[in-house]
Amino acid sequence: MIRHEVDAWDTERQKKREKMEAIYQFSDGKVVKEDQIKQLLETAIRPGETVAIEGDNQKQAVQLSKGLATVDPKKVNGLHIVMSCTQMQEHLDIFELGIAEKLDFSYAGNAAKRLPEMIEAGTVKVGAIHTYLEMFSRMFTDLIPNVCLCVAEEADKDGNLYTGPNTEETPTIVEATAFKSGVVIVQVNKLVDKVTRIDIPGEWVDVVVPTEEPCVIEPIMTRDPQYIKDVHVLQGMMAIKGIYAKHLVTRMNHGIGFNTAAIELLLPTYGEELGLKGKICTNWVSNPIPAMIPAIETGWVKSVVAFGSELGMEDYVRERSDVFFTGADGSLRSNRCYAQMAGMYGIDMFTGSTLQMDADGNSSTVTKGRITGFGGAPNMGSNPHGRRHSSPAWNSMITNPSDPMAKGNKLVTQIVRTQTKAGPTFVEQLDAVEVGKQAGFDEPPVMIYGEDLTHLITEVGLGYVYMGETPEERRKIIAAVAGDTPVGHTITTKEINELRAAGKVAFPEDLGIDPSEATRERLAAKNMKEITDWSDGLYKAPPKFKNW
Amino acid sequence: MIRHEVDAWDTERQKKREKMEAIYQFSDGKVVKEDQIKQLLETAIRPGETVAIEGDNQKQAVQLSKGLATVDPKKVNGLHIVMSCTQMQEHLDIFELGIAEKLDFSYAGNAAKRLPEMIEAGTVKVGAIHTYLEMFSRMFTDLIPNVCLCVAEEADKDGNLYTGPNTEETPTIVEATAFKSGVVIVQVNKLVDKVTRIDIPGEWVDVVVPTEEPCVIEPIMTRDPQYIKDVHVLQGMMAIKGIYAKHLVTRMNHGIGFNTAAIELLLPTYGEELGLKGKICTNWVSNPIPAMIPAIETGWVKSVVAFGSELGMEDYVRERSDVFFTGADGSLRSNRCYAQMAGMYGIDMFTGSTLQMDADGNSSTVTKGRITGFGGAPNMGSNPHGRRHSSPAWNSMITNPSDPMAKGNKLVTQIVRTQTKAGPTFVEQLDAVEVGKQAGFDEPPVMIYGEDLTHLITEVGLGYVYMGETPEERRKIIAAVAGDTPVGHTITTKEINELRAAGKVAFPEDLGIDPSEATRERLAAKNMKEITDWSDGLYKAPPKFKNW
């Protein structure tokens, strides 16, 4: 046994002290000017360090990200970048410039196409694609940031931060950095005397950089109901009657898309007809999205815990504090980490969509030439083995009630069209397998594994995948609704009818749904104007959605 | 479609305003005196509300809990109590007094024996037993607190809180309550002009109650090495050589017990002999427990993220900031929620122990007459289906490498003796099944399900359960190390030898371990004095452990 020979056990603290002393040479206390960002980053970041950049799928540390792409690669290089979303070109430029080397991330927005090219060229080494909560987890174990570059709405000179409704992941990144002697740098839209609300205590923040232009926030969760098609309505009706009502799902999360928007807009109409109000869809893990407004206004929704906000929803949320988490100032308090946690352990169902699915029900949004990443889907769309509380929905999934060890599981529903412009959705092998190989990943970038899929809806019908007693039967249930695709061709009409008779597959008519009556007319709001009307004018549609 | 007929959408805010106005009649701003607790709680809590009580397995909101048991049940009744740990008698008294009706919790410390009696008598209705992260998740979905009763080390008159090293779950409970118009009440050991460090911003806190006596913190994670037996050493050596080294596990969590303490104390000796330093056990999710000190001092440990603190470790942690998460003030920043999150998604292995295991590997600490609950074990000891990053340990679990969809999984190791004073550990049916039925639970209170168990160590040997190609073979692997128990009797010597030959079961000699050399002499510290010496006197053993 030899004692560890170290000069000190606080080298990280010492390093931080040195950095901060150098920064204080040109800063005004904690405040650094926007035109000093290059100097700031060259002083705060040392070669090979781990740097967390706040780039959600909503707000972006724009000026700090741009600034990082301007540092001298002789001074700052070999960085390991940890971030939720590679959204800006600069997020990838830093790899080409030799400033950064390795990337661990969750979601590639605008970078989805450029990223695989850069991986192939060896310009960027990707550690892994994560689901958000997993990414945050590693910030506390083996990817602890030496420096973080975050963004907030307001700061005071002591560093107290008000994030506005988009609190998102700022508190989590800051905590992981601040308490392990990392340097916390935050760009802010405004420097104020007193912040509107304290979302993060100033003691945790080392540097604030007021920027001339506010950080960019995009309304990427908003879906205009005018683009919801009759087929979405049909699928939504199948979901409501065949899944939500059958399993009495009260606590849930919806992925973003026209399918889930259709469900949200059908609750006040079709859901009401079925007498389901108060019985389903009461407690949501969701961003405050406009498509939920009619359901909220008709009294369906008891609570919503949000990952982030959605542009235009600020005033509506403020006036609906019985439903949303809000601060004393009235505005939304979102929290990506807590909402993702709730999305794993505190809900009974995830409903989402995907681009490709194989015969086993594995699905991915990664297709040839595009690495989009996962976001929250794998976390919410997987069965939490650590969960120990039950609920009617959870229990309804038990297929072996006589087993004393029987337990329920989470419902994971995927809604897809069997074909899209890109070709068949159901494929023999996911593109993700080949993409993963080319990128050198240990495992293919699968979004939701077939073992976790419980329900599948296509325009053909609804497959109760969880009822499959064997892997083979699960595949047959998937094939039964896979239509005219390689997977759909693996089942006969006779087999399909047997599954329908057994209640393991339901076509619309089996659910008492007449496809000819599944039209847009059923939607509680057919366009953005009607959503705005429902909100009593509280929802302020962003310009790109304001078409009336 | 009918608009929801409500008078207002901010009824929760209004209710809070009314409560606070009534409290301000007798408070001094945010400060309420200890002798006013009864009045405070009768004013802050209304019948039928959901009340979160901070009662971790470490710190307890003692005075607030006692105060709750003194309120007039005519004024305050029918409460739904949400808490991590029912530790104090008062936590159950409130049910007998008619103040509370329903309980959702994670862990029953001292209440483990009284609780099942009360369930049977119908005095308390248990919603469910949760793993911590699951409990927190529900505080953001369907168990949102109307009031929370928390505890901190210091507060100032504005409500800013310093939690000391035991930050634990206070920030999570406070966030869930404060941002949904709940009333946040915190008892504090000291009211000060300026808090040592801001762990929670004062804006989130409504009432602080300085108490004469500090809150109780028990050193419940500390294990005195003098009670580690040779058999623990043997099992620890099997774990290090047969699991940690084989799978190169760097990121892990240890349950609390003499088995895991033995492993920690063998790293600087046996681990060093095997040349494993830097290759295993580098990034920990763990409380700062004394048994880790020799491993830290010999340079094994890179980082530790902690759920809470451990009494006596304050100064040691402060002087080892390269390893622990600490604040600018120097003391530990723990966070039960983030550490549990990291314990699910950011580690590769959980090693723990249990009281009973059945033939399928299901295990529970719930035995007849005792409902202990789970704590963090189900969360850390389950395979996270949402995880998408790989690691050498994770990948080493792949048993079907030719499958393009092959993926790794988390290692879940259980270490048990085949027999204890209580009888055989391996049983035909877990007591939990019967206890669950009697308590009216939907599912038996199983701590770790057999499907998640990957490795099993007894004094007989090591079973590589994950290598079982069928459920039947998994059972045989378990039986092979189950010794003279009902489960051990289900396998023949011939079958055991076949499993050993196949590398699916290893006896000590198969691992090159001579049981006669597995003695306490190998421990890096054999008693509390030696641990203290390793720490250079920084670890201050609490009186009950100070026996030199």
Side-chain angles (χ1 to χ4, degrees), chain A residues 83-116:
Chain A
M83 67 186 310
S84 279
C85 187
T86 54
Q87 182 76 2
M88 295 168 54
Q89 291 309 321
E90 286 83 357
H91 293 152
L92 295 185
D93 290 347
I94 54 174
F95 293 90
E96 282 175 352
L97 293 166
I99 296 162
E101 249 178 46
K102 192 163 178 188
L103 173 66
D104 276 281
F105 74 110
S106 285
Y107 188 78
N110 296 335
K113 236 185 127 186
R114 189 172 158 206
L115 187 57

Side-chain angles (χ1 to χ4, degrees), chain A residues 271-334:
Chain A
E272 181 81 39
E273 275 173 43
L274 298 177
L276 295 171
K277 187 150 83 182
K279 295 180 188 158
I280 66 168
C281 299
T282 51
N283 302 88
W284 296 58
V285 174
S286 174
N287 281 5
I289 45 174
M292 287 178 65
I293 291 175
I296 293 172
E297 294 300 311
T298 49
W300 282 73
V301 181
K302 281 188 196 158
S303 71
V304 178
V305 58
F307 313 103
S309 189
E310 182 67 359
L311 215 61
M313 287 291 282
E314 297 80 4
D315 293 344
Y316 181 76
V317 166
R318 187 181 286 273
E319 298 298 323
R320 295 292 177 272
S321 62
D322 279 355
V323 172
F324 295 97
F325 284 75
T326 57
D329 66 308
S331 71
L332 180 72
R333 165 85 177 187
S334 59

Side-chain angles (χ1 to χ4, degrees), chain A residues 1-4 8-13 128-131 133-134 136-142 144 171-172 175-176 178-180 194 197-199 201 203-204 251 268-269 277 283 285 296-299 302-303 305 319-328 330 333 335 337-338 341-342 344-347 358 362 374 378-379 382-383 385-390 394-395 404-408 429-430 433 442-444 446-449 451-452 524 533-534, chain B residues 1-4 8-13 128-131 133-134 136-142 144 171-172 175-176 178-180 194 197-199 201 203-204 251 268-269 277 283 285 296-299 302-303 305 319-328 330 333 335 337-338 341-342 344-347 358 362 374 378-379 382-383 385-390 394-395 404-408 429-430 433 442-444 446-449 451-452 524 533-534:
Chain A
M1 287 181 289
I2 316 159
R3 275 185 186 271
H4 193 35
W9 288 93
D10 63 345
T11 57
E12 290 179 9
R13 268 176 193 275
I129 314 177
H130 308 73
T131 191
L133 206 59
E134 178 186 11
F136 305 148
S137 294
R138 296 190 69 187
M139 290 189 194
F140 290 91
T141 50
D142 60 338
I144 302 169
T172 310
E175 180 158 345
F179 290 97
K180 200 67 179 28
K194 186 174 162 30
R197 165 178 100 194
I198 297 181
D199 284 299
E203 286 183 9
W204 305 9
R251 308 177 305 169
T269 58
K277 187 150 83 182
N283 302 88
V285 174
I296 293 172
E297 294 300 311
T298 49
K302 281 188 196 158
S303 71
V305 58
E319 298 298 323
R320 295 292 177 272
S321 62
D322 279 355
V323 172
F324 295 97
F325 284 75
T326 57
R333 165 85 177 187
N335 188 315
C337 182
Y338 286 156
M341 171 183 86
M344 179 179 51
Y345 273 138
I347 62 171
D358 71 15
N362 300 301
F374 307 129
N379 177 63
S382 62
N383 189 37
H385 277 210
R387 174 171 158 175
R388 294 295 179 267
H389 75 284
S390 69
W394 178 265
N395 283 342
M405 302 301 291
K407 65 185 167 94
Q429 186 178 64
L430 298 178
V433 173
D442 288 327
E443 300 171 2
V446 172
M447 189 170 71
I448 291 177
Y449 280 92
E451 63 187 333
D452 288 325
D533 290 346
W534 269 108
Chain B
M1 288 181 289
I2 317 158
R3 273 184 188 271
H4 194 37
W9 287 95
D10 63 347
T11 58
E12 290 178 10
R13 270 176 191 275
I129 314 177
H130 307 73
T131 191
L133 206 60
E134 179 186 11
F136 305 148
S137 293
R138 295 189 69 187
M139 290 189 193
F140 290 91
T141 49
D142 60 339
I144 302 169
T172 310
E175 179 157 346
F179 290 97
K180 200 66 178 29
K194 184 173 163 34
R197 164 179 101 194
I198 297 181
D199 284 298
E203 286 183 8
W204 305 11
R251 310 177 305 168
T269 58
K277 187 149 83 180
N283 303 88
V285 174
I296 293 172
E297 293 300 310
T298 48
K302 281 187 196 159
S303 71
V305 58
E319 297 299 322
R320 295 292 177 271
S321 63
D322 279 355
V323 173
F324 295 98
F325 284 74
T326 57
R333 165 85 176 188
N335 188 315
C337 182
Y338 286 156
M341 172 183 85
M344 180 178 51
Y345 273 138
I347 62 171
D358 71 15
N362 300 301
F374 306 130
N379 177 63
S382 62
N383 189 37
H385 277 210
R387 174 171 158 175
R388 295 294 179 267
H389 75 283
S390 69
W394 178 265
N395 283 342
M405 302 302 290
K407 65 185 166 94
Q429 188 179 62
L430 298 178
V433 173
D442 287 327
E443 299 172 3
V446 171
M447 189 170 72
I448 290 178
Y449 279 93
E451 63 187 332
D452 288 325
D533 290 345
W534 268 109

Side-chain angles (χ1 to χ4, degrees), chain B residues 160-177:
Chain B
N160 289 299
L161 302 182
Y162 169 57
T163 58
N166 290 84
T167 307
E168 307 199 11
E169 61 201 43
T170 320
T172 310
I173 299 175
V174 170
E175 179 157 346
T177 310

Side-chain angles (χ1 to χ4, degrees), chain A residues 500-541:
Chain A
R500 288 173 67 186
K504 294 179 181 181
V505 166
F507 282 8
E509 55 263 42
D510 303 330
L511 294 168
I513 296 169
D514 178 351
S516 72
E517 289 179 10
T519 67
R520 282 179 43 80
E521 290 310 303
R522 289 188 179 267
L523 296 174
K526 291 168 205 69
N527 52 52
M528 297 304 277
K529 165 116 184 15
E530 288 181 18
I531 286 187
T532 308
D533 290 346
W534 269 108
S535 80
D536 266 342
L538 290 168
Y539 169 58
K540 311 286 192 310

Side-chain angles (χ1 to χ4, degrees), chain B residues 38 47 53 55 84 91 169 183 196 211 238 257 298 308 342 376 424 426 453 455 457 460 463 469 472 505 513 519-520:
Chain B
K38 177 171 185 285
I53 303 177
S84 280
H91 293 154
E169 61 201 43
V183 177
T196 302
T211 59
M238 284 195 271
T298 48
F426 293 91
L453 179 73
H455 297 78
I457 291 179
V460 176
E469 289 169 35
E472 173 63 14
V505 166
I513 296 170
T519 67
R520 283 177 43 78

Side-chain angles (χ1 to χ4, degrees), chain A residues 216-496:
Chain A
V216 177
I217 296 184
E218 295 285 344
I220 63 170
M221 311 288 168
T222 300
R223 293 292 176 273
D224 186 337
Q226 71 171 315
Y227 300 114
I228 295 176
K229 300 196 171 80
D230 289 348
V231 63
H232 296 130
V233 173
L234 174 65
Q235 293 181 315
M237 290 170 72
M238 285 195 270
I240 291 173
K241 191 162 185 190
I243 304 177
Y244 293 47
K246 175 186 169 84
H247 298 287
L248 292 176
V249 180
T250 57
R251 308 177 305 169
M252 19 66 75
N253 166 259
H254 276 176
I256 293 298
F258 289 106
N259 282 305
T260 44
I263 295 174
E264 288 146 19
L265 292 168
L266 284 168
L267 291 176
T269 58
Y270 186 60
E272 181 81 39
E273 275 173 43
L274 298 177
L276 295 171
K277 187 150 83 182
K279 295 180 188 158
I280 66 168
C281 299
T282 51
N283 302 88
W284 296 58
V285 174
S286 174
N287 281 5
I289 45 174
M292 287 178 65
I293 291 175
I296 293 172
E297 294 300 311
T298 49
W300 282 73
V301 181
K302 281 188 196 158
S303 71
V304 178
V305 58
F307 313 103
S309 189
E310 182 67 359
L311 215 61
M313 287 291 282
E314 297 80 4
D315 293 344
Y316 181 76
V317 166
R318 187 181 286 273
E319 298 298 323
R320 295 292 177 272
S321 62
D322 279 355
V323 172
F324 295 97
F325 284 75
T326 57
D329 66 308
S331 71
L332 180 72
R333 165 85 177 187
S334 59
N335 188 315
R336 189 173 306 282
C337 182
Y338 286 156
Q340 286 289 336
M341 171 183 86
M344 179 179 51
Y345 273 138
I347 62 171
D348 293 307
M349 180 166 74
F350 166 76
T351 301
S353 196
T354 189
L355 296 180
Q356 283 191 333
M357 183 177 286
D358 71 15
D360 294 310
N362 300 301
S363 62
S364 188
T365 51
V366 170
T367 51
K368 282 199 176 73
R370 288 181 60 84
I371 297 185
T372 49
F374 307 129
N379 177 63
M380 289 179 287
S382 62
N383 189 37
H385 277 210
R387 174 171 158 175
R388 294 295 179 267
H389 75 284
S390 69
S391 68
W394 178 265
N395 283 342
S396 73
M397 300 300 290
I398 293 175
T399 53
N400 53 342
S402 63
D403 180 348
M405 302 301 291
K407 65 185 167 94
N409 59 268
K410 191 192 268 182
L411 285 78
V412 177
T413 296
Q414 295 269 44
I415 307 183
V416 297
R417 307 273 290 280
T418 58
Q419 305 269 354
T420 66
K421 276 177 288 182
T425 301
F426 293 90
V427 294
E428 284 174 16
Q429 186 178 64
L430 298 178
D431 287 357
V433 173
E434 208 48 50
V435 171
K437 265 188 213 159
Q438 272 169 19
F441 297 159
D442 288 327
E443 300 171 2
V446 172
M447 189 170 71
I448 291 177
Y449 280 92
E451 63 187 333
D452 288 325
L453 180 73
T454 62
H455 297 78
L456 172 62
I457 292 180
T458 69
E459 73 278 13
V460 176
L462 195 174
Y464 294 99
V465 184
Y466 75 98
M467 287 186 173
E469 289 167 37
T470 60
E472 174 62 14
E473 192 179 30
R474 285 175 68 94
R475 280 192 291 269
K476 287 290 182 190
I477 293 170
I478 292 166
V481 296
D484 182 18
T485 65
V487 173
H489 298 162
T490 62
I491 190 167
T492 65
T493 308
K494 179 165 173 289
E495 288 173 317
I496 293 175

